[in-house]
C-alpha cells in the first residue's frame, strides 16, 4: 500500500506506542495516511533513537512491547491509516551487555553460532576498545574485576559484564584470565587503528552485520516479515543501505521476500544521492527516504547572486577553510588517517593480495603505493559508493569511475597513476584472475568510501566551511549553493519517471537544522550586504565582552542564533536558547576538529565559546538587535517556508512530515531535533484561524493534505508538467501542472524575492515588480494576482473550467480565505 502522506514519529520510552496512539485522531484530522515510525525492535536500554538495536527479533518492551504495538495498529486501522517502520540491517548495538548475539561471540569466539553474523576479521582476538586506561591500569585500580560463582564473568567499571570462555582457568591471576579470552580489552583511543571488525561509521558501540549471509538476513528480518504477513505494517524504510556489502542484492532479496507474502509493500532506502546520481531502478525499491528532495528544495530557495559575497565574507574570517572542494578533500583525508586507519589498512591489504595473484607487475607495486592510491581515490570520490562485486559493475558506476579518474590524477605521486587506474578497473570488474579476492577487495573499498563520504562531508567539512549554514545539511551537495528552477524541474521529472512514490522529506531525525531554520537562513543569500552589516555591528557588541573566540566560530554562532530566534513568545526570547545553542556549539567545534575535538576536547576554548554565547544572550543591545533583524526578515523567511511546504505536497512522491514540523521547526542538530513535541498545542491550533506564520504553515499542510485525500490518484499517478515562465522576472517563479485524465492541479510559487519583501516591509511583490512575467500556458493569470495573498498559488480544476478563470475556482477561493492574512505582522 503506497502511503498518501507519512508522519515521522521518534518513538522512545518517553513517547511509546501509547503516546503515538493518543495522537492518531489528530494525525487523521491533519490528513496523514501513515505513521512512519523509528525502529521498534529492542534497542539499548534508554535509547533515544532506536538505531542501537540489541535484539531484532523482539518488539521493544520500553515502547510498550507487542501489546502496545498491536494497539497502535488497531487505532490506525480504525481510521483507515497504516504504519511504516524503520529497520536497521547494517549494524547492531554492542555498547553494553544487552546484545545476546554479541555476548555469545565474546564467550565462544569463532565457535559461536553468531560469529558469522558480525563483520569480523578473525585474525586474532576480537578487539574491544572499551577501557579508559591500559588493561594493567584498569586491573590495578580495581576497575576490572573477576566475579566468580555460578555465572563467572568479568565486571568492568562496576556495570558492564563481560562473559568468559567456558574453559577459562579461574585460578589464574586477572591479567592471565583477561588475556585468555576470545576478545582483547584495549584503550578506547586505539580503536581507529586496531579494530578488527566493521563498525557503523566511527561509532565503537555499533557493530556491522553481514546481512549478505542468508542466515543473517533470515534471523534479522523474520519479525518484519511476520508483521507484514499479518497485515500490521505496510512498508519499510531501510537505514543506511550503502553500509551493506551488496545493497542491490539485499534490496532485491527483501523485495522478493515481501512480494512472496503479498505484493505491494512500500519500501524506501536511506541513501544520500550525489547531485547527478540516481537511485538504481533495478533494486526493486520505491525510492529514497528524501534527502535528495530536501537538498533541491533548499537550493531552490537560495539566491545564486548571494554566493560570491557570502563566500568572500567567509574567506575573510577563515581563509584556510574557504574553498569547499579543498575543504572536503582534506576532511576526507583526515577521516581516513584519524578514524578509519584500521579499515584503510585492511582495504589496502586486500588489494595488495589481489595484485600478487593477478598482475605481472606486482613486484613493481608496493603496499605503500596501493595505500596512497586508495587514499587519493577516496579523497575525490563524488558519491557515497559504487556497486560492483569484483566480477562486474552496473553501468551507472561508469561515469562515477570516469570522474574519479579525471579528478584524482593531480593528487597522485608521479608515476603511480597506473596503480589508481588498476584499482578503478577492479571496481569495474575487469581482470578476473582471482574473482574471490577481487570481490573482497572491492567490498572493502566500497564499505570504506561510504563512511568517508559521510564523515568527511556532513560531519566535518560542513562544520569547517560555512558561508551559509542552510547549504550545509545532510544530503547537501558541496559546492552546489543554488539551483535554477529548470534544474529543479529536471530532477523532479527524473525522480517522477523512475520513482513516483519516493519519500519527500524536508526534515529528518538526522538533519543539522530544521526545515524552517534553513528557510530563514536562505533569506541571507538575498541580502548579503545587509547581513554583513549586521554581523559587523554584532561583532562590535561581542567584542565589548572581551571573550576571544575564532571569528569563524563566532560567525557560525551568529547564523545559528538568527536561525532559531523565536519571533513571538510569551517568555523571554532567550529562554532555553542558551543550552540548545550551547549543545550545538560544542558539537560543531568538535566535529570540525579545528579548535577542539571529541577525542581531545579543548575545554578552555569550549568554555570561552559558551561564555560568549551566554554573554550575548544576556546583552540587551545584542538581543534587541537580533530580534529586530529576525523580525525584519520574518515575512521573507515565512514565504520560503510556505513555498518549501507547497512544493513538497504537490510534486510527485510521498510527502513526509517530520514530527512537530507542521508548526515552524526551528530545531538544530541531534539531539535537539528529537526534543519532545507539544502535540496538545498543535491539536489546539489545527482549527484555529491562520493568524501567524506557524499556523499558516499548519493550515497550508492541512489544505494540501485535503486535496491529496480528495483526489489521491491525481497526486500518486498524475503526470508532472513543468510550465514555462517568460518575462524579466522568470527566475522568480516556478510553476507546474499535475495532470491525470481531465483533472489538473496548478501549482505556482514565488522564488527568491526576499530582498523585495524585506524592502517593502513584508508585502509581496506587486504588479510593477512582475512587469511582463507570465506563465505561458496560463497567460490570463497575472503573477501579482496569483501571489497577492500568499507566496504560492495552488488550485485543482477540471479541463472543462475556463483557463482564464482559474483563480476564481473554489479550491483557490478556499486557499485565499485560509491565507487571507498572510502578510500581517
Amino acid at each position: 500500500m503506497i502511503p498518501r502522506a507519512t508522519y515521522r514519529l521518534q518513538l522512545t520510552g518517553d513517547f511509546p506506542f501509547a503516546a503515538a496512539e493518543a495522537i492518531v485522531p489528530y494525525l487523521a484530522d491533519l490528513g496523514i495516511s501513515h505513521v512512519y515510525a523509528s525502529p521498534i525492535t529492542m534497542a539499548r536500554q534508554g535509547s533515544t533513537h532506536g538505531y542501537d538495536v540489541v535484539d531484532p527479533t523482539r518488539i521493544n518492551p520500553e515502547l510498550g512491547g507487542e501489546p502496545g504495538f498491536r494497539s497502535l495498529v488497531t487505532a490506525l486501522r480504525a481510521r483507515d491509516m497504516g504504519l511504516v517502520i524503520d529497520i536497521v540491517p547494517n549494524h547492531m548495538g554492542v555498547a553494553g551487555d544487552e546484545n545476546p548475539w554479541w555476548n555469545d561471540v565474546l564467550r565462544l569466539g569463532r565457535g559461536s553460532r553468531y560469529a558469522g553474523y558480525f563483520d569480523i576479521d578473525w585474525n586474532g582476538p576480537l578487539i574491544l576498545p572499551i577501557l579508559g586506561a591500559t588493561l594493567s591500569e584498569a586491573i590495578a585500580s580495581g576497575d576490572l574485576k573477576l566475579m566468580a560463582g555460578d555465572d563467572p564473568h568479568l565486571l568492568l567499571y562496576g556495570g558492564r559484564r563481560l562473559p568468559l570462555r567456558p574453559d577459562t582457568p579461574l585460578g589464574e591471576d586477572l591479567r592471565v584470565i583477561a588475556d585468555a579470552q576470545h576478545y582483547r580489552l584495549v584503550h578506547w583511543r586505539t580503536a581507529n587503528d586496531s579494530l578488527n571488525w566493521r563498525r557503523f561509521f566511527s561509532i565503537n558501540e555499533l557493530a556491522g552485520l553481514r546481512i549478505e549471509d542468508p542466515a543473517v538476513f533470515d534471523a534479522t528480518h523474520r519479525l518484519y516479515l511476520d508483521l507484514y504477513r499479518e497485515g500490521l505494517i505496510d512498508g519499510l524504510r531501510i537505514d543506511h543501505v550503502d553500509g551493506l556489502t551488496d545493497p542491490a542484492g539485499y534490496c532485491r532479496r527483501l523485495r522478493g521476500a515481501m512480494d512472496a507474502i503479498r505484493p505491494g509493500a512500500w519500501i524506501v532506502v536511506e541513501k544520500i544521492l550525489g547531485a547527478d546520481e540516481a537511485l538504481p531502478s533495478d533494486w526493486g525499491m520505491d525510492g529514497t527516504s528524501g534527502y535528495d528532495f530536501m537538498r533541491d528544495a533548499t537550493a531552490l530557495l537560495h539566491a545564486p547572486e548571494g554566493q560570491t559575497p557570502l563566500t568572500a565574507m567567509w574567506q575573510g574570517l577563515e581563509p584556510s577553510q574557504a574553498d569547499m572542494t579543498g575543504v572536503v578533500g582534506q576532511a576526507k583525508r583526515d577521516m581516513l588517517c584519524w578514524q578509519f586507519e584500521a579499515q584503510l589498512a585492511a582495504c589496502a591489504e586486500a588489494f595488495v593480495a589481489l595484485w600478487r595473484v593477478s598482475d605481472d607487475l606486482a613486484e613493481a607495486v608496493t603496499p605503500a603505493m596501493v595505500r596512497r592510491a586508495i587514499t587519493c581515490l577516496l579523497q575525490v570520490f563524488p558519491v557515497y559508493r559504487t556497486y560492483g562485486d569484483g566480477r562486474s559493475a552496473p553501468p551507472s558506476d561508469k561515469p562515477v569511475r570516469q570522474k574519479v579518474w579525471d579528478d584524482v590524477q593531480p593528487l597522485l605521486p608521479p608515476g603511480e597513476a597506473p596503480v589508481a587506474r588498476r584499482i578503478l578497473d577492479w571496481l569495474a570488474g575487469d581482470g578476473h584472475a582471482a574473482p574471490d579476492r577481487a570481490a573482497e577487495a572491492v567490498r572493502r573499498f566500497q564499505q570504506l568510501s561510504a563512511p568517508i563520504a559521510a564523515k568527511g562531508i556532513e560531519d566535518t567539512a560542513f562544520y569547517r566551511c560555512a558561508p551559509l549554514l542552510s547549504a550545509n545539511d545532510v544530503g547537501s551537495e558541496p559546492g552546489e549553493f543554488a539551483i535554477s528552477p529548470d534544474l529543479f524541474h529536471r530532477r523532479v521529472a527524473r525522480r517522477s519517471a523512475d520513482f513516483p512514490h519516493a519519500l519527500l522529506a524536508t526534515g529528518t531525525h538526522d538533519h543539522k537544522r530544521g526545515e524552517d531554520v534553513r528557510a530563514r537562513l536562505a533569506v541571507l543569500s538575498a541580502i548579503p550586504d545587509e547581513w554583513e552589516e549586521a554581523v559587523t555591528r554584532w561583532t562590535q557588541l561581542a567584542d565589548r565582552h572581551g571573550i576571544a573566540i575564532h571569528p569563524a566560530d563566532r560567525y557560525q554562532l551568529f547564523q545559528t542564533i538568527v536561525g532559531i530566534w523565536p519571533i513571538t513568545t510569551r517568555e523571554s526570547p532567550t529562554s532555553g536558547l542558551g543550552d540548545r545553542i550551547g549543545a550545538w556549539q560544542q558539537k560543531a567545534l568538535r566535529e570540525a576538529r579545528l579548535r577542539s575535538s571529541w577525542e581531545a576536547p579543548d575545554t578552555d576554548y569550549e568554555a570561552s565559546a559558551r561564555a560568549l554565547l551566554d554573554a550575548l544572550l544576556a546583552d540587551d543591545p545584542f538581543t534587541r538587535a537580533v530580534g529586530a533583524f529576525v523580525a525584519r526578515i520574518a515575512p521573507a523567511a515565512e514565504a520560503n517556508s510556505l513555498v518549501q511546504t507547497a512544493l513538497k505536497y504537490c510534486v510527485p512522491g510521498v510527502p513526509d512530515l517530520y514530527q512537530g514540523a507542521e508548526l515552524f521547526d526551528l530545531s538544530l542538530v541531534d539531539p535537539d531535533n528529537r526534543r519532545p513535541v507539544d502535540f496538545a498545542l498543535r491539536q489546539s491550533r489545527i482549527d484555529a484561524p491562520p493568524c501567524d506564520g506557524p499556523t499558516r504553515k499548519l493550515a497550508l499542510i492541512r489544505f494540501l493534505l485535503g486535496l491529496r485525500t480528495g483526489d489521491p490518484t491525481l497526486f500518486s499517478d498524475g503526470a508532472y508538467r513543468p510550465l514555462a515562465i517568460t518575462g524579466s522576472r522568470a527566475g522568480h517563479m516556478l510553476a507546474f501542472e499535475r495532470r491525470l485524465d481531465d483533472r489538473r492541479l496548478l501549482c505556482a510559487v514565488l522564488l527568491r524575492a526576499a530582498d523585495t519583501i524585506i524592502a517593502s516591509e513584508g508585502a509581496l511583490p506587486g504588479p510593477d515588480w512582475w512587469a511582463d512575467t507570465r506563465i505561458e500556458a496560463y497567460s490570463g493569470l497575472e503573477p501579482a494576482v496569483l501571489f497577492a495573498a500568499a507566496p504560492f498559488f495552488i488550485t485543482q480544476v477540471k479541463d472543462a473550467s475556463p483557463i482564464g478563470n482559474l483563480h476564481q475556482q473554489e479550491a483557490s477561493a478556499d486557499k485565499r480565505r485560509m491565507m487571507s492574512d498572510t502578510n500581517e505582522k
Side-chain angles (χ1 to χ4, degrees):
M1 178 180 179
I2 305 299
R4 188 174 64 249
T6 60
Y7 193 98
R8 169 69 181 200
L9 287 177
Q10 290 294 124
L11 300 172
T12 67
D14 294 327
F15 191 87
F17 295 131
E21 182 177 341
I23 65 168
V24 167
Y26 162 71
L27 298 181
D29 194 9
L30 192 59
I32 297 297
S33 71
H34 284 71
V35 164
Y36 157 32
S38 60
I40 65 169
T41 45
M42 189 169 176
R44 185 183 181 188
Q45 188 173 3
S47 175
T48 59
H49 49 77
Y51 293 92
D52 44 2
V53 175
V54 297
D55 187 350
T57 69
R58 296 174 56 199
I59 295 177
N60 196 341
E62 286 192 351
L63 303 181
E66 186 174 335
F69 175 79
R70 289 181 177 274
S71 183
L72 169 61
V73 173
T74 298
L76 289 168
R77 296 303 189 206
R79 294 179 179 269
D80 294 323
M81 297 170 66
L83 181 65
V84 174
I85 61 173
D86 206 338
I87 69 170
V88 192
N90 178 64
H91 55 264
M92 292 184 72
V94 295
D97 53 13
E98 303 171 67
N99 189 320
W101 296 356
W102 186 253
N103 284 341
D104 199 65
V105 173
L106 297 183
R107 188 172 70 90
L108 299 176
R110 299 185 72 168
S112 169
R113 62 176 292 193
Y114 303 109
Y117 280 36
F118 299 97
D119 200 349
I120 302 169
D121 291 333
W122 287 106
N123 51 11
L126 187 148
I127 300 297
L128 278 189
I130 58 177
L131 299 181
T134 67
L135 178 57
S136 296
E137 291 170 335
I139 293 173
S141 64
D143 288 331
L144 182 69
K145 298 179 181 179
L146 173 65
M147 309 300 290
D150 295 337
D151 179 25
H153 59 274
L154 296 177
L155 186 67
L156 181 62
Y157 300 124
R160 179 158 184 181
R161 294 163 55 99
L162 294 163
L164 297 175
R165 58 189 299 169
D167 57 351
T168 298
L170 299 182
E172 301 288 346
D173 67 44
L174 191 51
R175 178 63 191 242
V176 172
I177 291 173
D179 286 343
Q181 301 311 308
H182 292 293
Y183 51 85
R184 177 176 298 143
L185 298 172
V186 301
H187 195 287
W188 67 270
R189 288 185 182 277
T190 69
N192 294 338
D193 297 333
S194 64
L195 213 62
N196 58 355
W197 46 274
R198 182 173 59 84
R199 58 189 174 176
F200 173 69
F201 290 178
S202 57
I203 302 175
N204 297 336
E205 292 79 20
L206 298 175
L209 286 169
R210 297 184 61 252
I211 209 71
E212 66 274 15
D213 185 326
V216 181
F217 179 95
D218 292 343
T220 54
H221 287 67
R222 185 172 297 113
L223 173 64
Y224 312 133
L225 295 175
D226 286 346
L227 295 178
Y228 183 64
R229 182 177 293 106
E230 200 173 339
L232 299 174
I233 61 173
D234 295 309
L236 303 170
R237 179 263 195 190
I238 312 303
D239 182 67
H240 188 46
V241 73
D242 275 344
L244 308 181
T245 292
D246 178 14
Y250 167 81
C251 289
R252 292 170 187 139
R253 180 187 292 272
L254 179 61
R255 172 59 74 186
M258 298 194 80
D259 280 355
I261 296 170
R262 182 175 61 258
W266 184 67
I267 312 175
V268 293
V269 293
E270 183 195 33
K271 173 167 172 55
I272 305 298
L273 292 171
D276 299 317
E277 183 184 14
L279 183 71
S281 58
D282 58 354
W283 286 9
M285 298 292 98
D286 287 294
T288 73
S289 58
Y291 290 118
D292 44 325
F293 175 80
M294 189 168 96
R295 171 201 67 205
D296 293 342
T298 300
L300 185 66
L301 298 178
H302 289 154
E305 60 271 17
Q307 181 174 10
T308 297
L310 289 172
T311 302
M313 187 177 176
W314 177 263
Q315 170 84 32
L317 302 171
E318 184 77 293
S320 66
Q321 305 292 328
D323 171 51
M324 181 61 85
T325 300
V327 172
V328 167
Q330 185 59 52
K332 287 183 174 182
R333 289 185 76 94
D334 289 346
M335 290 301 99
L336 275 168
C337 296
W338 297 350
Q339 293 196 336
F340 291 87
E341 167 60 31
Q343 274 186 259
L344 175 59
C347 180
E349 183 180 338
F351 275 104
V352 169
L354 176 59
W355 224 295
R356 287 172 179 162
V357 299
S358 60
D359 199 307
D360 293 337
L361 298 178
E363 293 182 2
V365 176
T366 67
M369 292 179 188
V370 174
R371 181 191 177 93
R372 285 193 291 268
I374 293 171
T375 300
C376 292
L377 290 169
L378 291 175
Q379 183 177 341
V380 300
F381 229 71
V383 295
Y384 263 45
R385 60 171 289 171
T386 50
Y387 298 96
D389 60 6
R391 296 169 174 81
S392 63
S396 57
D397 282 0
K398 186 175 181 179
V400 174
R401 294 192 305 271
Q402 184 59 52
K403 178 168 176 52
V404 171
W405 177 241
D406 293 340
D407 293 347
V408 77
Q409 294 181 65
L411 303 179
L412 295 167
E416 296 186 14
V419 182
R421 178 69 264 175
R422 190 56 189 271
I423 292 173
L424 288 173
D425 290 342
W426 275 318
L427 290 178
D430 296 340
H432 301 151
D436 291 342
R437 291 197 180 187
E440 176 66 7
V442 168
R443 174 186 77 84
R444 289 187 180 276
F445 185 96
Q446 293 176 155
Q447 285 187 302
L448 180 56
S449 68
I452 291 303
K455 294 298 294 180
I457 299 173
E458 297 157 18
D459 292 344
T460 306
F462 281 172
Y463 288 101
R464 291 181 177 179
C465 182
L468 187 63
L469 285 173
S470 52
N472 291 8
D473 219 299
V474 180
S476 296
E477 179 70 15
E480 187 177 80
F481 182 85
I483 63 172
S484 67
D486 284 346
L487 181 54
F488 180 85
H489 280 313
R490 290 198 298 274
R491 289 180 176 174
V492 170
R494 182 176 69 179
R495 185 187 308 112
S496 174
D498 295 333
F499 301 101
H501 308 305
L503 197 68
L504 306 176
T506 46
T508 76
H509 61 283
D510 281 330
H511 66 232
K512 307 296 186 187
R513 280 153 287 275
E515 59 190 61
D516 299 300
V517 177
R518 296 196 310 275
R520 184 185 291 179
L521 292 178
V523 172
L524 305 183
S525 67
I527 54 167
D529 294 339
E530 185 172 341
W531 167 240
E532 185 169 13
E533 291 173 2
V535 169
T536 300
R537 292 195 303 271
W538 300 346
T539 298
Q540 294 168 351
L541 292 173
D543 286 344
R544 297 183 310 159
H545 297 283
I547 302 172
I549 71 168
H550 195 284
D553 296 333
R554 185 176 57 211
Y555 177 75
Q556 290 199 56
L557 175 61
F558 289 158
Q559 286 193 70
T560 301
I561 290 173
V562 167
I564 72 169
W565 194 266
I567 299 176
T568 58
T569 177
R570 295 178 182 177
E571 303 175 358
S572 164
T574 61
S575 177
L577 288 189
D579 288 341
R580 292 178 56 207
I581 298 176
W584 160 83
Q585 184 181 56
Q586 182 188 77
K587 187 168 189 173
L589 292 172
R590 293 183 178 185
E591 294 283 36
R593 292 177 173 82
L594 295 176
R595 287 168 282 277
S596 191
S597 66
W598 295 108
E599 296 81 2
D602 187 333
T603 54
D604 290 340
Y605 184 79
E606 290 180 359
S608 294
R610 178 57 192 262
L612 178 61
L613 166 61
D614 291 339
L616 290 174
L617 294 182
D619 185 327
D620 187 58
F622 176 80
T623 58
R624 282 190 284 109
V626 170
F629 182 85
V630 172
R632 178 167 164 76
I633 68 172
E638 180 184 320
N640 281 345
S641 291
L642 296 177
V643 165
Q644 180 175 245
T645 300
L647 292 173
K648 181 171 71 173
Y649 288 90
C650 291
V651 304
V654 176
D656 175 60
L657 177 53
Y658 185 68
Q659 59 177 28
E662 57 269 40
L663 299 183
F664 280 169
D665 178 10
L666 301 180
S667 63
L668 296 172
V669 70
D670 64 274
D672 192 66
N673 57 14
R674 301 173 188 175
R675 288 176 299 142
V677 176
D678 187 345
F679 284 107
L681 171 64
R682 286 154 177 79
Q683 289 172 317
S684 71
R685 300 181 78 168
I686 193 169
D687 290 316
C691 58
D692 60 16
T695 51
R696 276 191 284 269
K697 182 183 178 186
L698 173 59
L700 174 59
I701 291 171
R702 195 181 185 202
F703 167 73
L704 293 174
L705 286 175
L707 292 183
R708 297 182 74 96
T709 301
D711 194 348
T713 56
L714 173 63
F715 289 89
S716 63
D717 302 331
Y720 178 85
R721 178 194 173 202
L723 298 176
I725 312 296
T726 60
S728 56
R729 302 288 187 183
H732 294 277
M733 190 196 310
L734 180 143
F736 59 88
E737 277 187 338
R738 302 295 308 280
R739 181 186 287 267
L740 184 66
D741 300 328
D742 65 341
R743 290 118 62 206
R744 285 180 294 159
L745 178 91
L746 170 63
C747 177
V749 296
L750 173 66
L751 295 177
R752 299 165 177 169
D755 53 345
T756 301
I757 295 172
I758 293 170
S760 60
E761 298 184 344
L764 296 172
D768 291 342
W769 190 84
W770 284 108
D772 57 344
T773 305
R774 297 289 185 276
I775 304 174
E776 277 194 351
Y778 296 92
S779 57
L781 295 180
E782 299 283 344
V785 174
L786 295 182
F787 303 130
F792 60 86
F793 177 88
I794 300 166
T795 189
Q796 188 175 6
V797 297
K798 292 190 175 182
D799 279 345
S801 301
I803 288 179
N805 292 325
L806 278 177
H807 61 289
Q808 298 174 356
Q809 296 300 315
E810 183 62 25
S812 177
D814 286 345
K815 184 271 300 184
R816 291 187 183 283
R817 287 194 295 270
M818 178 185 73
M819 307 303 293
S820 61
D821 51 3
T822 294
N823 296 315
E824 289 186 7
K825 294 182 289 181

